[in-house]
Amino acid sequence: MAGNTFGTVFKLTTFGESHGLALGGIIDGCPAGLTVDFDAIQAEMIRRKPGQSAIVTQRKETDQVKFLSGIFEGVTTGTPIGFVIENTNQKSKDYSHIKDTYRPSHADYTYQQKYGLRDYRGGGRSSARETACRVVAGALAKQLLGNISINAYVSAVGDLQLEKPYQDLDFTLTESNPVRCPDPAMAEQMEALIREIRKEGDTVGGSISCVIQGVPVGLGEPVFDKLHAELGKAMLSINAVKGFEYGSGFEGTRLKGSQHNDLFNADGSTKTNHSGGVQGGISNGEDIYFKVGFKPVATIMQKQEALNSEGALVEMQGKGRHDPCVVPRAVPIVEAMAALVLADAWLLNKLAKL
Amino acid sequence: MAGNTFGTVFKLTTFGESHGLALGGIIDGCPAGLTVDFDAIQAEMIRRKPGQSAIVTQRKETDQVKFLSGIFEGVTTGTPIGFVIENTNQKSKDYSHIKDTYRPSHADYTYQQKYGLRDYRGGGRSSARETACRVVAGALAKQLLGNISINAYVSAVGDLQLEKPYQDLDFTLTESNPVRCPDPAMAEQMEALIREIRKEGDTVGGSISCVIQGVPVGLGEPVFDKLHAELGKAMLSINAVKGFEYGSGFEGTRLKGSQHNDLFNADGSTKTNHSGGVQGGISNGEDIYFKVGFKPVATIMQKQEALNSEGALVEMQGKGRHDPCVVPRAVPIVEAMAALVLADAWLLNKLAKL
Amino acid sequence: MAGNTFGTVFKLTTFGESHGLALGGIIDGCPAGLTVDFDAIQAEMIRRKPGQSAIVTQRKETDQVKFLSGIFEGVTTGTPIGFVIENTNQKSKDYSHIKDTYRPSHADYTYQQKYGLRDYRGGGRSSARETACRVVAGALAKQLLGNISINAYVSAVGDLQLEKPYQDLDFTLTESNPVRCPDPAMAEQMEALIREIRKEGDTVGGSISCVIQGVPVGLGEPVFDKLHAELGKAMLSINAVKGFEYGSGFEGTRLKGSQHNDLFNADGSTKTNHSGGVQGGISNGEDIYFKVGFKPVATIMQKQEALNSEGALVEMQGKGRHDPCVVPRAVPIVEAMAALVLADAWLLNKLAKL
Amino acid sequence: MAGNTFGTVFKLTTFGESHGLALGGIIDGCPAGLTVDFDAIQAEMIRRKPGQSAIVTQRKETDQVKFLSGIFEGVTTGTPIGFVIENTNQKSKDYSHIKDTYRPSHADYTYQQKYGLRDYRGGGRSSARETACRVVAGALAKQLLGNISINAYVSAVGDLQLEKPYQDLDFTLTESNPVRCPDPAMAEQMEALIREIRKEGDTVGGSISCVIQGVPVGLGEPVFDKLHAELGKAMLSINAVKGFEYGSGFEGTRLKGSQHNDLFNADGSTKTNHSGGVQGGISNGEDIYFKVGFKPVATIMQKQEALNSEGALVEMQGKGRHDPCVVPRAVPIVEAMAALVLADAWLLNKLAKL
């Protein structure tokens, strides 16, 4: 119950610090009989890993996942799937300057206070490196979900907001640019902005939108475990996330009921989809879409004031290899967490009726 | 695992349909030795109940909670606290018209598909009446939390957005008007708008903001159970909620790191609070604040097209006693869910270190 | 996590003290579409209730269960099933003598130490009256299990041990005598012994055996949640239980592998069944059988030394209406707990493979 | 929920097959600030590992545990503790003969039926090798428990039953002989019996007793999670266990209440301890003692009939390196599981009262 497990029947438990020997996890509850596409899993790992382009951190992480159990001759056996990702490129010396110092807007201070000590190297458990394990499990969950497609993309960087509805986008273009924005013109602007911000030694926030298609009716468990509530928790558990909205979102709160209600077609589908594919916490078969907001990365390459363990304010110069904007690399993480939620809901729903 | 339990060690499990004999719940994990203020609990129930003013539904619900166990001579005993709220004013006949009809943007269709049948009277389990049980448990959680204060208030109705920061508001004014907006001038405008919307037979959405003060450092369990992720799930599990943001929220995603970072004071507090009182998923002692967006209520007093169980589109006239705007009555529900999250986190944190 | 919930996906959470307003519970996770036989549930309640014969306590408990939710027009809806059993015949005055006194081998002392206070009336939460809620849920679980039959019976009272294998017994005779032993001759001896013990103002222990037939292959989740481990926990959680063994049990530990191994028939069934229907924690389709040992009831009608809250040893005279032997009334409780375990395992197994 | 997690707040999740790359686990919920004695953990691993003496299997398993996270500079950090144990000495070829064959009284058939496929090498997940992970976590739990001592020992091999009460035994002698029986004379007889059985190519069952001393009053959560119910489940989840009894156990069921009740001393301790240190599911400060029965190992070095996947009965000759009697090696496993239960209960009890 210490917060390192996600899911109810399709469950991921993870461990690992940024600069320990390895990260890893256990996927428990994956049904037997799923033929595993290892290349597809590794491809997701590569999408997440640093150093892929000029606009992300130049840290090198091989991020090679090694499966230790639960898969026999390429097929899941119903037993827990253990995996590890070794930490091979940590430069622990880089972090000695933060041993006794709490960086602003990081988790240094709160971890120290909560636990009385912390592995300060690279942020330890609070490092975004932890999300590698989510991507492994999410990639497997995607395979379990079969024809359900999950497409996330960058929809905002700083003030650059992609206003086009997702229906006007071609998701096959998402991976065509380093920003992971499927609108090429906007992608170019975003990339330029990120390069500029990086030159300033600064960082900038952004948003990721996600669309889930091909979802059967009935996923999600009322009352507390509504499908969108689980999606919201999943997204908010990703480092740097500040907000979540689905369907019409905060804009929808300005509307009248007569504008917002989604009228039916005769086949049970709806003419509009302000509901975002979820009604009463249960999927209704329409596209699920939501937006996730990320704050700017806290580590900047400028001088800032930090607090040390003696209670003194000290000047600190950011160093290391960090992302000027987190959203391009967070796209596969958003997809992974969505896949975990859907896989769990899909299994649970098998028990809903006789 | 069917979604009717909330919390890890301070756990609420609820039951009940809108028009069944009773709703109720079990609070398990409340420590022994808490002297219960029953009047304070009932006061929260009164805040939530319908019929309090001209701008909310005129349904009469006495909403008298009866505790059945777990409290002896006014003090919690450590055993589970069972409670019921009888349904005394249901008018089941009002709902016969929806027996075979799925109302747009309700849970009728999804429940029917998921479970194969449904208690259609008044929305059954999907009715907002379910939230009465949350208020009971939340009111108890507030008492457990002692000096931690939780203040929610209406911060938007339709296009009327209260832009003032919470620091400029006087929370003692929240209950002074039927809208539950602590800014009297804005409250007046909001009330006028709601009255107008009601005359049109329509409904309108809105937002609730919430501020939690006096929180000790250390609450929240990384990685998946970050404090703000639990708050987000809690809020998104409330009927009609479409979005959640905390601290700087979606606006903060437009900022640069150099603008967004919260610099420390020497005592560990911070000069700004874009973090919203949570860093790395753990409370840092600053005020926690967040915003919750609610869609317009789906039941409108106008003719609308609905779908019947034979697959035909039929015209339907909304009737019954419904809220033209849900946010005034949702204020105590937001507070209750926040209290449940905090109580759970507060207990779990006692186990964080030796 | 305070221990009042049983099960993983078919979950029972209970509340209630012996002398509070009511006991009750919530069954969450029962699939929709089950037609409920209320008479069958009440019949189980009657089997459990006191005062049925001369050899059990003469307390009167109507034990009428009232369902509050989750069942619509006689069919489960997939929503939580809340129920209450009112306490109507409590004589709280009977228990005033134990307010400041800890009876030997009761839970008075441990509850007081753990929680700092206790509802002393009738044992409060530690009263066996709590098991009424288990019987309600178990009776529903039996209906979910369809053709799986669960037959428990008294197999020992004091030194009177029924040595016959269950295959030689006729379970239709179990209810033909007040002891609930399906061997009439042994039942008579047991009844005589219990009457004698009661005359002495004493109590005596005993054992219950249980046979589950018609179980499909595949129920039970290795590693920690082996089917027999869940059965064992279920039984050991019943008041007064001191031991659990299944299949060949403790006697089987004396055997050699060549004697103990159950050889196969060609259809996958086995020639012997020392395994007790479970291999590797998973049901193998053979009969599941186990034995549960109960200590003698601690409340005796003799003078005994007790401890008071001032730390003095005081003489105490047992009074009230108690069972001279607990096993006859515990038969339906054993069956109920077995049904809960099986229902949960049966549902979980639906998720084992694609 | 697929059964590979044990515990509520001190939680162990394990993975691994006998002949996969590695076994391992994650310990989540261990409080920060515990200085880890790695030698003590490895010492427990050595107690469990095969090949220690002539009377156990001669398989070589180095069983070197490697911790990957959650411990920094020798102290727990409050983050999850990941660990792996590599499989280095598997001889997969040994097991090719069971690929399409179900051995009697093994888990081959039930795994195949439940999951539709299985890793047949060495029993896969059903191998007792899985218990290595329990020993790792249990060894850490022991360190958390400080002065609570846990001593298990072999109390029966076949018909050789050690009748001495534990008070007459010297636990420092347990490790002085390969049987792990603290009574030297009995140990010698047991060793002779095991050697004889091994010569016959057969196996034999036995029992392990366990005594826990120094337990504070108050551990255990009524109703369903009674301390002895958790201990029972923990023990029954160990491979080959057929029965569990605590305190007076099955023998106690023959007694009268006047004989069985444990009268108090003035300090709250009791004159006798038929209760086995637990009353009402909560520890009362007296010694906790219980007995666990193990069936004979199913793999024998004799010809036996097995079932193949085509439904034919085939003769099979056991081979490989197996234990003639499982109990000597199971002693540290029993202790480990007891430690896990106690650690969890000890933490949970911190939340029992204000």
Side-chain angles (χ1 to χ4, degrees):
Chain A
M1 291 304 152
N4 297 287
T5 297
F6 189 83
T8 297
V9 291
F10 187 94
K11 292 202 304 182
L12 169 66
T13 304
T14 69
F15 68 85
E17 276 83 40
S18 172
H19 284 62
L21 288 177
L23 297 95
I26 303 175
I27 302 161
D28 202 13
C30 184
L34 178 69
T35 300
V36 179
D37 181 341
F38 294 101
D39 292 340
I41 294 173
Q42 196 57 40
E44 295 289 329
M45 294 301 284
I46 289 168
R47 289 177 77 203
R48 193 208 74 95
K49 82 169 184 181
Q52 307 162 66
S53 76
I55 62 163
V56 299
T57 169
Q58 295 307 301
R59 274 198 313 276
K60 293 246 165 54
E61 301 177 4
T62 45
D63 281 359
Q64 182 68 43
V65 60
K66 186 156 65 172
F67 288 98
L68 303 176
S69 68
I71 302 170
F72 185 58
E73 299 178 346
V75 182
T76 60
T77 61
T79 63
I81 299 167
F83 63 88
V84 289
I85 304 159
E86 282 172 35
N87 285 327
T88 52
N89 189 251
Q90 326 95 314
K91 296 195 177 173
S92 292
K93 275 177 291 182
D94 278 357
Y95 295 97
S96 57
H97 61 300
I98 58 164
K99 182 177 172 180
D100 300 311
T101 310
Y102 312 131
R103 294 166 292 174
S105 287
H106 277 81
D108 302 338
Y109 177 75
T110 51
Y111 267 71
Q112 185 73 35
Q113 295 293 314
K114 183 178 183 73
Y115 298 114
L117 80 164
R118 72 187 206 280
D119 179 350
Y120 53 81
R121 300 169 301 165
R125 183 70 178 150
S126 74
S127 165
R129 181 146 173 71
E130 159 265 315
T131 57
C133 296
R134 306 182 184 218
V135 171
V136 173
L140 191 76
K142 278 185 179 180
Q143 298 179 25
L144 184 65
L145 291 169
N147 292 326
I148 297 176
S149 72
I150 302 175
N151 284 290
Y153 59 93
V154 169
S155 53
V157 173
D159 282 326
L160 294 169
Q161 306 276 327
L162 180 67
E163 304 291 357
K164 281 188 193 169
Y166 72 85
Q167 292 88 343
D168 296 350
L169 299 172
D170 176 358
F171 296 146
T172 66
L173 300 179
T174 302
E175 295 293 318
S176 69
N177 59 73
V179 182
R180 293 205 167 97
C181 174
D183 182 277
M186 177 57 91
E188 222 166 296
Q189 289 181 61
M190 286 172 168
E191 186 176 346
L193 175 59
I194 296 173
R195 285 177 181 277
E196 194 186 300
I197 292 281
R198 194 185 47 173
K199 263 184 220 148
E200 296 170 12
D202 215 335
T203 59
V204 67
S207 292
I208 291 175
S209 294
C210 185
V211 184
I212 311 176
Q213 293 169 307
V215 182
V217 187
L219 307 199
E221 301 296 313
V223 168
F224 295 112
D225 298 351
K226 292 182 166 85
L227 187 59
H228 59 269
E230 296 289 355
L231 284 168
K233 178 178 168 178
M235 299 306 145
L236 287 156
S237 78
I238 301 172
N239 278 6
V241 172
K242 302 295 288 185
F244 170 86
E245 58 178 7
Y246 79 104
S248 62
F250 279 103
E251 271 308 298
T253 68
R254 296 169 181 261
L255 298 181
K256 296 182 185 177
S258 56
Q259 300 167 313
H260 194 275
N261 283 352
D262 295 316
L263 299 184
F264 282 104
N265 295 310
D267 64 356
S269 66
T270 59
K271 286 165 182 156
T272 52
N273 184 18
H274 295 111
S275 299
V278 184
Q279 289 178 336
I282 300 169
S283 64
N284 70 347
E286 300 298 306
D287 294 348
I288 295 174
Y289 63 100
F290 57 85
K291 189 174 167 185
V292 188
F294 291 75
K295 69 168 188 173
V297 172
T299 300
I300 58 177
M301 299 300 107
Q302 301 178 355
K303 286 208 171 107
Q304 277 191 121
E305 216 173 50
L307 179 69
N308 74 15
S309 57
E310 264 92 55
L313 297 174
V314 293
E315 194 161 83
M316 181 177 216
Q317 172 64 50
K319 25 185 180 170
R321 299 154 298 178
H322 293 277
D323 288 293
C325 181
V326 77
V327 286
R329 282 183 56 215
V331 166
I333 303 165
V334 164
E335 291 182 3
M337 292 308 296
L340 289 178
V341 170
L342 269 284
D344 202 33
W346 180 72
L347 288 173
L348 273 173
N349 191 45
K350 293 182 184 295
L351 308 180
K353 61 184 168 199
L354 286 182
Chain B
M1 291 303 150
N4 297 288
T5 297
F6 190 84
T8 298
V9 289
F10 188 95
K11 294 203 301 182
L12 170 65
T13 304
T14 68
F15 68 85
E17 277 83 41
S18 172
H19 285 62
L21 288 177
L23 299 95
I26 303 176
I27 302 161
D28 201 13
C30 183
L34 178 69
T35 301
V36 179
D37 181 341
F38 295 100
D39 292 341
I41 294 172
Q42 196 56 40
E44 294 290 328
M45 295 300 285
I46 289 168
R47 289 177 77 202
R48 194 208 73 94
K49 81 170 184 178
Q52 306 162 64
S53 76
I55 61 163
V56 298
T57 170
Q58 296 306 301
R59 275 198 313 277
K60 293 248 163 54
E61 300 177 4
T62 46
D63 281 359
Q64 182 69 42
V65 59
K66 186 155 68 173
F67 288 98
L68 302 176
S69 67
I71 303 170
F72 185 58
E73 298 178 346
V75 182
T76 60
T77 61
T79 63
I81 299 168
F83 63 88
V84 290
I85 304 159
E86 284 174 32
N87 285 326
T88 52
N89 189 250
Q90 326 95 314
K91 295 195 178 175
S92 292
K93 276 177 291 182
D94 279 355
Y95 295 98
S96 56
H97 62 299
I98 58 166
K99 182 177 173 180
D100 299 312
T101 310
Y102 312 131
R103 294 166 293 172
S105 287
H106 277 81
D108 301 338
Y109 177 75
T110 51
Y111 267 70
Q112 185 73 34
Q113 294 293 314
K114 183 179 183 72
Y115 298 113
L117 81 163
R118 72 187 206 280
D119 179 350
Y120 53 82
R121 300 168 303 165
R125 184 69 179 151
S126 74
S127 164
R129 181 145 173 70
E130 160 265 315
T131 56
C133 296
R134 306 182 184 218
V135 171
V136 173
L140 192 75
K142 277 185 180 179
Q143 298 179 23
L144 185 65
L145 291 169
N147 292 325
I148 298 176
S149 73
I150 302 174
N151 284 289
Y153 59 91
V154 169
S155 54
V157 172
D159 283 324
L160 294 170
Q161 306 275 327
L162 180 66
E163 304 291 358
K164 281 187 191 168
Y166 73 85
Q167 293 87 344
D168 296 351
L169 298 171
D170 176 358
F171 296 144
T172 65
L173 298 179
T174 302
E175 295 294 318
S176 70
N177 60 74
V179 182
R180 293 204 168 100
C181 173
D183 182 279
M186 178 56 91
E188 221 166 296
Q189 289 182 64
M190 287 172 168
E191 186 176 347
L193 176 59
I194 296 174
R195 285 177 182 277
E196 194 185 301
I197 293 283
R198 192 185 48 174
K199 264 185 219 144
E200 297 170 11
D202 214 334
T203 60
V204 68
S207 292
I208 291 175
S209 295
C210 184
V211 183
I212 311 177
Q213 294 169 306
V215 182
V217 186
L219 308 199
E221 302 295 312
V223 166
F224 295 113
D225 299 349
K226 291 183 166 85
L227 187 59
H228 59 268
E230 296 289 355
L231 284 168
K233 178 178 167 178
M235 299 306 144
L236 287 156
S237 77
I238 300 172
N239 279 6
V241 172
K242 302 294 288 186
F244 170 86
E245 59 179 7
Y246 79 104
S248 62
F250 280 102
E251 271 309 298
T253 68
R254 296 168 180 262
L255 298 181
K256 297 181 184 178
S258 57
Q259 299 167 313
H260 193 274
N261 282 353
D262 294 316
L263 299 184
F264 281 104
N265 295 310
D267 63 356
S269 67
T270 60
K271 285 165 182 157
T272 52
N273 184 17
H274 295 111
S275 299
V278 185
Q279 289 180 336
I282 301 169
S283 64
N284 70 348
E286 301 298 305
D287 293 350
I288 295 173
Y289 61 99
F290 58 85
K291 190 174 166 183
V292 188
F294 291 76
K295 69 168 188 172
V297 172
T299 301
I300 58 176
M301 298 301 107
Q302 301 178 356
K303 287 207 170 110
Q304 278 190 122
E305 216 173 49
L307 180 69
N308 74 15
S309 57
E310 264 92 56
L313 296 174
V314 292
E315 194 162 82
M316 180 178 218
Q317 171 66 48
K319 26 184 181 170
R321 300 154 297 177
H322 293 277
D323 288 294
C325 181
V326 76
V327 285
R329 283 184 55 214
V331 166
I333 301 165
V334 165
E335 291 182 3
M337 291 309 294
L340 289 178
V341 170
L342 268 284
D344 202 33
W346 180 73
L347 287 173
L348 273 172
N349 190 45
K350 291 180 183 296
L351 308 181
K353 61 183 168 198
L354 287 183
Chain C
M1 290 305 151
N4 297 287
T5 297
F6 190 84
T8 297
V9 290
F10 188 94
K11 291 203 303 183
L12 170 66
T13 304
T14 69
F15 69 85
E17 276 83 39
S18 171
H19 285 61
L21 288 177
L23 298 95
I26 303 176
I27 301 160
D28 201 13
C30 183
L34 178 69
T35 301
V36 179
D37 181 341
F38 294 101
D39 292 341
I41 294 173
Q42 196 57 40
E44 294 290 329
M45 295 299 284
I46 289 168
R47 289 178 77 203
R48 194 208 74 94
K49 82 169 184 179
Q52 307 162 67
S53 76
I55 62 163
V56 299
T57 169
Q58 295 307 301
R59 275 198 313 277
K60 294 248 162 55
E61 301 177 5
T62 45
D63 281 359
Q64 182 69 42
V65 59
K66 185 155 67 172
F67 289 98
L68 302 176
S69 67
I71 303 170
F72 185 58
E73 298 177 347
V75 182
T76 60
T77 61
T79 63
I81 299 167
F83 63 88
V84 289
I85 305 159
E86 284 173 34
N87 285 326
T88 52
N89 189 252
Q90 326 95 316
K91 296 197 177 173
S92 293
K93 276 176 293 182
D94 280 355
Y95 294 98
S96 56
H97 62 299
I98 58 166
K99 182 177 173 179
D100 300 310
T101 309
Y102 312 131
R103 293 166 294 173
S105 287
H106 278 81
D108 302 337
Y109 177 76
T110 51
Y111 268 70
Q112 184 73 35
Q113 294 293 315
K114 184 179 183 73
Y115 298 114
L117 80 162
R118 72 187 206 281
D119 179 350
Y120 53 81
R121 299 168 302 166
R125 184 68 178 150
S126 73
S127 164
R129 181 145 174 70
E130 160 266 315
T131 56
C133 297
R134 306 182 184 218
V135 171
V136 172
L140 192 76
K142 278 185 180 180
Q143 299 179 25
L144 184 65
L145 292 169
N147 292 325
I148 298 176
S149 73
I150 302 175
N151 284 290
Y153 59 93
V154 169
S155 54
V157 173
D159 283 325
L160 295 170
Q161 307 276 327
L162 181 67
E163 304 291 357
K164 280 188 192 169
Y166 73 85
Q167 293 88 343
D168 297 349
L169 298 171
D170 175 359
F171 296 145
T172 65
L173 298 179
T174 302
E175 295 293 319
S176 70
N177 60 74
V179 182
R180 293 204 168 99
C181 173
D183 182 277
M186 178 57 91
E188 220 166 299
Q189 289 181 62
M190 286 172 169
E191 187 177 346
L193 175 59
I194 295 173
R195 287 177 181 276
E196 193 186 301
I197 292 283
R198 193 185 47 173
K199 264 184 222 148
E200 296 170 12
D202 215 334
T203 61
V204 68
S207 292
I208 291 176
S209 294
C210 184
V211 184
I212 311 177
Q213 293 169 306
V215 182
V217 186
L219 308 199
E221 303 294 314
V223 169
F224 295 113
D225 298 350
K226 292 184 165 83
L227 187 59
H228 59 268
E230 295 289 356
L231 285 167
K233 178 178 168 179
M235 298 307 144
L236 287 156
S237 77
I238 301 172
N239 279 5
V241 172
K242 302 294 289 187
F244 170 87
E245 58 179 6
Y246 80 103
S248 62
F250 279 101
E251 271 309 298
T253 69
R254 296 170 180 260
L255 298 181
K256 297 181 185 178
S258 57
Q259 299 167 312
H260 194 273
N261 282 353
D262 294 316
L263 299 183
F264 282 104
N265 295 311
D267 63 357
S269 66
T270 59
K271 286 166 182 156
T272 52
N273 184 18
H274 295 112
S275 298
V278 184
Q279 289 179 335
I282 300 169
S283 64
N284 69 348
E286 300 298 306
D287 294 349
I288 295 173
Y289 62 99
F290 58 84
K291 189 173 166 186
V292 188
F294 292 75
K295 69 168 188 174
V297 172
T299 300
I300 57 176
M301 299 300 108
Q302 301 178 357
K303 287 208 172 106
Q304 278 191 121
E305 215 173 49
L307 180 68
N308 73 16
S309 57
E310 265 91 55
L313 297 174
V314 291
E315 192 161 86
M316 182 177 215
Q317 171 64 50
K319 26 183 180 171
R321 300 154 298 179
H322 294 277
D323 288 294
C325 182
V326 76
V327 285
R329 283 184 56 214
V331 165
I333 302 165
V334 164
E335 292 182 2
M337 292 308 296
L340 289 178
V341 170
L342 269 284
D344 202 34
W346 181 73
L347 287 173
L348 273 172
N349 191 45
K350 292 180 183 296
L351 308 180
K353 61 183 167 198
L354 287 182
Chain D
M1 292 304 151
N4 297 287
T5 297
F6 190 84
T8 298
V9 290
F10 188 95
K11 292 203 302 182
L12 170 67
T13 304
T14 69
F15 68 84
E17 276 84 40
S18 172
H19 284 61
L21 287 178
L23 298 96
I26 302 176
I27 301 161
D28 201 13
C30 183
L34 179 69
T35 300
V36 179
D37 181 340
F38 294 101
D39 292 341
I41 294 173
Q42 196 56 41
E44 294 289 328
M45 295 300 284
I46 290 168
R47 290 177 76 201
R48 193 209 75 94
K49 81 169 185 180
Q52 307 161 67
S53 77
I55 61 163
V56 299
T57 169
Q58 295 307 302
R59 276 198 311 278
K60 292 249 163 54
E61 302 176 5
T62 46
D63 281 359
Q64 182 68 41
V65 60
K66 186 156 64 172
F67 287 98
L68 302 176
S69 67
I71 302 170
F72 186 58
E73 299 178 344
V75 182
T76 59
T77 62
T79 62
I81 299 168
F83 63 89
V84 289
I85 304 159
E86 283 173 34
N87 285 327
T88 53
N89 189 250
Q90 326 95 313
K91 297 197 177 173
S92 293
K93 276 176 292 183
D94 280 356
Y95 295 98
S96 57
H97 61 300
I98 59 165
K99 182 177 174 180
D100 300 311
T101 310
Y102 312 131
R103 294 166 292 175
S105 288
H106 277 81
D108 302 338
Y109 177 75
T110 51
Y111 268 70
Q112 185 73 35
Q113 295 293 313
K114 182 178 185 72
Y115 297 115
L117 81 163
R118 73 187 204 282
D119 179 349
Y120 53 81
R121 300 168 302 166
R125 183 68 178 151
S126 74
S127 165
R129 180 145 175 71
E130 159 265 316
T131 56
C133 296
R134 306 182 184 217
V135 171
V136 173
L140 192 76
K142 277 186 180 179
Q143 297 179 26
L144 184 65
L145 291 169
N147 291 324
I148 298 176
S149 72
I150 303 175
N151 284 289
Y153 58 93
V154 169
S155 53
V157 173
D159 283 325
L160 293 170
Q161 307 275 328
L162 181 66
E163 304 290 357
K164 280 188 193 168
Y166 72 84
Q167 293 87 343
D168 296 351
L169 299 172
D170 176 359
F171 296 145
T172 65
L173 298 178
T174 302
E175 295 294 317
S176 69
N177 60 74
V179 182
R180 292 204 169 99
C181 173
D183 182 278
M186 177 59 90
E188 221 167 296
Q189 290 182 61
M190 287 172 168
E191 187 177 345
L193 176 58
I194 296 173
R195 286 177 181 276
E196 193 186 301
I197 293 282
R198 193 185 49 173
K199 264 185 220 144
E200 296 170 14
D202 214 333
T203 61
V204 67
S207 293
I208 291 176
S209 294
C210 185
V211 184
I212 311 176
Q213 293 169 305
V215 183
V217 186
L219 307 198
E221 302 295 313
V223 171
F224 294 113
D225 299 350
K226 291 183 167 84
L227 187 59
H228 59 268
E230 296 290 357
L231 284 168
K233 177 177 168 180
M235 299 307 144
L236 287 156
S237 77
I238 301 171
N239 279 5
V241 172
K242 301 295 290 186
F244 169 87
E245 59 179 6
Y246 80 104
S248 62
F250 279 102
E251 271 307 300
T253 68
R254 297 170 180 262
L255 298 182
K256 297 182 185 177
S258 57
Q259 299 167 313
H260 194 275
N261 283 354
D262 294 316
L263 298 184
F264 282 105
N265 295 311
D267 64 356
S269 66
T270 59
K271 286 167 182 156
T272 52
N273 184 19
H274 295 112
S275 299
V278 185
Q279 289 179 336
I282 300 169
S283 64
N284 70 348
E286 301 297 305
D287 294 349
I288 295 174
Y289 62 99
F290 58 85
K291 190 174 166 186
V292 188
F294 291 75
K295 69 168 188 173
V297 172
T299 301
I300 58 176
M301 298 301 106
Q302 301 178 356
K303 286 204 173 114
Q304 279 190 122
E305 216 173 47
L307 179 69
N308 74 14
S309 56
E310 265 93 56
L313 296 175
V314 292
E315 193 162 84
M316 180 177 217
Q317 171 64 50
K319 27 185 180 171
R321 300 154 297 179
H322 294 276
D323 289 293
C325 181
V326 77
V327 285
R329 283 184 56 216
V331 166
I333 302 165
V334 164
E335 291 182 4
M337 291 308 295
L340 289 177
V341 170
L342 269 284
D344 202 33
W346 181 73
L347 287 173
L348 274 172
N349 191 44
K350 291 181 185 297
L351 308 180
K353 61 183 168 198
L354 287 182

